[in-house]
Amino acid sequence: MKILFLDHSGVLGGAELSLLDIARYYQDSCLVVLLAEGAFKTRLEQEGIPVQVLTSQLTGIKRDSSFWQSLSSLGQILPLIVKIAQLSRNYDVICTNTQKSMVLGAIASLISHRPLVYYLRDILSADHFNRANLWIAVAIANTCVAKVIVNSKATQSAFVAAGGKAELTQVIYNGFLPDRFQQPPENAIQLRQELGLEGQFVVGSFSRLSPWKGQHVLLEALTHCPQNVTVLLVGDALFGETAYVERLHQQVVELGLGDRVKFLGFRADVSSLMGVCDLVAHTSTAPEPFGRVIIEAMLCRTPIVATAAGGVLELIEPNRTGWLVPVNDAVNLAGVINECRIHPEQAAVIAQRAYQYASHAFHLDETCRKFSQWMELVKSFPNF
Ligand code: UDP
Ligand code: GLC
């Protein structure tokens, strides 16, 4: 089975890290085609996964670009489509990992007569996309795609609610290798010292800095916690959200949080950093399609609190494997932080249970097994 993976992004977002995990499985029989240079390409190269970057003007099209803006870019992207079609002739299936790449992949697949799979990792709703882009995504998926693999039931429901054909969809959760998240306890002690966190109750956020990831809600929650609670904001603005980053810095000053908040930027050592946290907080203000960070915290045996929306509801069993709080509710979030601080032994029991659960229910082997099963089926679909 030879797969051509297509992703428009050059950055290391959750969609790209998930693709990396699957591409590793197909290392000897795949090509990852990207439409931008960046850290994702470097990472694929480091891991020996074949990658090719096709550059274009496409990165100018945003999720909220108008239909006409998107259409006017078509002239610039036609050569790109032709190139993708040419490359795909050497592969059995084209698997697209993002909405933009799905649009290009769809046209390329019509030229090269290769079946197209859309790994849908977004909640297709007005929270995340404008109407025209939603319509385009659903219309193309319904007509050109052999299978829409979705990263959660929430993503599946949103696709169907937006007019997508339910029978096209198949849920395949993201998978993880538990061993990659294990750290010797002395690492955490040393890292705590390096970061000046001794004696602190540390709450970590491990999401890119973006308004809908809700870091501002966590900062507000911190004002309802005692002085020995510190927040680590791990992650950077990956898609140009610099105004939000400035707003967060300003919020820290306005709320007088001073050195109780540490901005660590994008880090490659997420599991080590999760190891120094007493709690991981996932604070998305719009439904999260899946939320890799939640399973990663579980695998690090760090307790997790997350906002109750989207795919998150499929990952956490409240009060058994983590905590759920309403969206945009800083007071409730602070309540969980304080509860965890006051009853660490109870939090440790929940974290241990979550570890057991996640290491079985979200194992990468199972994700790759299901994915390859579907790829074999798609390959044998008639009419391509
Ligand atoms: N991540 C990372 N370094 C950082 C912040 C986040 O490697 O500084 C990773 C994190 O471990 C997770 C991914 O980025 O694997 C984010 O994926 P998620 O599904 O949680 O959210 P997304 O950003 O894709 O919406
Ligand atoms: C997207 C989603 C995120 C999901 C990731 C991997 O980036 O925003 O929720 O975990 O894809 O599927």
Side-chain angles (χ1 to χ4, degrees), residues 339-357:
E339 188 65 24
C340 243
R341 191 175 54 77
I342 295 164
H343 300 292
E345 63 302 323
Q346 200 178 297
V349 170
I350 288 186
Q352 181 59 25
R353 192 184 291 130
Y355 167 75
Q356 297 291 353
Y357 168 67

Side-chain angles (χ1 to χ4, degrees), residues 349-367:
V349 170
I350 288 186
Q352 181 59 25
R353 192 184 291 130
Y355 167 75
Q356 297 291 353
Y357 168 67
S359 47
H360 291 104
F362 295 93
H363 200 289
L364 183 60
D365 289 351
E366 180 61 7
T367 301

Side-chain angles (χ1 to χ4, degrees), residues 222-245:
L222 192 56
T223 64
H224 301 283
C225 299
Q227 287 294 323
N228 68 341
V229 179
T230 292
V231 161
L232 295 186
L233 293 184
V234 184
D236 208 347
L238 293 186
F239 301 103
E241 301 95 334
T242 44
Y244 183 64
V245 179

Side-chain angles (χ1 to χ4, degrees), residues 318-382:
N319 305 318
R320 280 193 57 76
T321 54
W323 292 269
L324 292 177
V325 290
V327 167
N328 261 321
D329 187 340
V331 172
N332 237 300
L333 177 58
V336 172
I337 295 172
N338 288 323
E339 188 65 24
C340 243
R341 191 175 54 77
I342 295 164
H343 300 292
E345 63 302 323
Q346 200 178 297
V349 170
I350 288 186
Q352 181 59 25
R353 192 184 291 130
Y355 167 75
Q356 297 291 353
Y357 168 67
S359 47
H360 291 104
F362 295 93
H363 200 289
L364 183 60
D365 289 351
E366 180 61 7
T367 301
C368 291
R369 192 191 61 76
K370 279 196 182 147
F371 181 81
S372 66
Q373 226 174 28
W374 276 104
M375 291 307 104
E376 292 295 342
L377 273 170
V378 164
K379 187 183 160 189
S380 64
F381 277 10

Side-chain angles (χ1 to χ4, degrees), residues 2 16 32 52 58 80 106 114 132 155 184 196 208 225 229 263 299 307 315 323 335 354 360 370:
K2 295 180 75 188
E16 288 67 39
V32 181
Q52 188 167 335
L58 183 72
L80 209 59
R114 292 297 180 274
T155 298
R208 56 198 161 84
C225 299
V229 179
F263 288 83
L299 293 174
T307 45
L315 309 184
W323 292 269
H360 291 104
K370 279 196 182 147

